[in-house]
Amino acid sequence: MQISPRLRRFFPFLQWPRPTPAGLRQDVWAGITVGLVLVPQAVAYAALAGMPAETGLYAALLPAIVGILWGSAPLLAVGPVALTSLLTFGSLAPLAEPGSAKWVGLAIWLSLYAGLIQFLLGAFRLGRIASLVSQPVMTGFINAAAIIIIVSQLPALTGLRADDPGSLMRQLRDDGTRVLLSCGFGLASLLLLALFKRLWPAFPGVLAVCVLGIGAGRLLDYERLGGAVVGAIPAGLPALSLPPSIPLASHQELWPAALVLALISFTEAMTSCRALSRKRNEAWDENQELIGQGLAKTVAGFTGAFPVSGSFSRSALNLYAGAQSAWATLVATLCVLLSLLFLTDLIRHLPLAVLAAMIMMPVFSLLDLRALRRLFAVSRLDAAIALVTFFVTLFSMPRLHWGVVAGVVLTMGAFLYRRTEPRIIEVSLHADGTLRDRARFSLPPLAPDLLAVRIDAALNFLTSAALLRFIGERCRQDRGLRRVLLCASGINDIDTTGTDALAQLHASLQAEGISLQLCSVKKQVMEMLEKAGFAQTLGPARIFPTDSAAVAALSEGGGYGGIARAAR
């Protein structure tokens, strides 16, 4: 059946290919594999977000289904992720007590706002706005976030209370059994997770450690000895409900955090989409994916959960386990559904030390200090942006979004700074027949009275002054100049400031008895010059279609041959 483009836009899952028996078998196996990892991870990331354990399972259920139905990457695993959970915690920490009813209400509104922002960006096809969060900003933020996550989990991993760090020795003396037991569970879990990851990457090691932790905790009576566990988890499905009422001031506090969370979480999801697209040689639509991610967050809010995103680790596991289509995600959510219905009494006994290890292990892979070294080697300005983002994120804790804001502001500043210093060179004819940098290749001028200039940038309000300054300085240095040739092959765009600058340049040169010529003007630039009337003012005789035509008409020797021989 032929599906109309409008219907495909609103219901993209209608164009899913019909699954084959062989493909469906692979999807079922991959879905079970991911689902067995997703269940304990969902509980872990709920703890990281400061939310009740059951909300992690809620976030892994309907939001995952909606995200895959309305997204564009069939193997993207949507659900709770470490970075978004940390951003949720950081956004809410100044406003409420973790785990309280107020905290849950704020998390619901944060998810709704972030989802609405993503949905609107996708609906209006503004997906590229996510590029505002540049790679240096992401590098700095992710490294800082990884450190924050690891440090935040140390109390749960070791059994030491973080609210009274001065009592370390007293805790060890008075409650040594509990502390040592927690440390043993936590460190053993880290070691097992590392071994599973290294030796059996396809095996759901997170589930194995979870089961072993629950079994060992019950065997050693971990809870009776004072060890902290997940605690009671209500069984059953999440109820769809309207968000709770919160004060206007709380809404206003959430808006900037929701914007940053929407951009960061989508940037994280885009990384997974691009990797999956390269591996499977499949196209994906960033705007459709924004709609899917936005709807997933919205559904998370209406089911009492917290913001979700695309998980890189679970998406990679999906691919590694042989998933062929989005049906694998639906099978994974079935595992979550069964856990909510039948396994909550078992999960409640999971030691928090084991949960902390499950949070920390995947976060270790986010630490990438080599990326900072690469940035220093390539661009010190980008490296500075990454470092500022890194330190602002660390020191603005818990308001982590200020690190991203600082990074984006610096990125925009660096972008504008680079555009105000465009590459402008004097060119002449090279032996290979092209116009090249005179200074770099020690070339003679095209003619004694001719200055040939090329700007490798758009001619606009940022670059026009630099071009006028360059030509003005050269004309003052050489009073014998009578002609200026502007090679426009590097100008891809021009605005009204650029056309006015050319008119000003023409007038000032004419007053000095110097004529202005243009060559290799691109179509879109010529159209602007014609609309501004500058092309008519300069005259068609002074606008050459190509570099070769300009050289033939203006250079000493009357053509390419003579000047090329001189260049040799």
Side-chain angles (χ1 to χ4, degrees), residues 42-58:
V43 175
Y45 292 147
L48 181 59
M51 296 286 287
E54 66 272 14
T55 62
L57 296 173
Y58 298 165

Side-chain angles (χ1 to χ4, degrees), residues 360-414:
M360 292 172 69
M361 180 51 64
V363 171
F364 284 127
S365 62
L366 296 179
L367 280 172
D368 188 6
L369 298 180
R370 285 179 297 181
L372 291 173
R373 288 200 296 270
R374 287 195 299 271
L375 284 175
F376 268 107
V378 176
S379 169
R380 299 214 166 189
L381 186 56
D382 284 346
I385 292 171
L387 285 177
V388 170
T389 304
F390 176 83
F391 285 112
V392 172
T393 301
L394 284 180
F395 292 114
S396 64
M397 179 68 189
R399 299 180 184 269
L400 304 180
H401 57 274
W402 288 116
V404 179
V405 171
V408 170
V409 169
L410 282 177
T411 300
M412 293 297 99

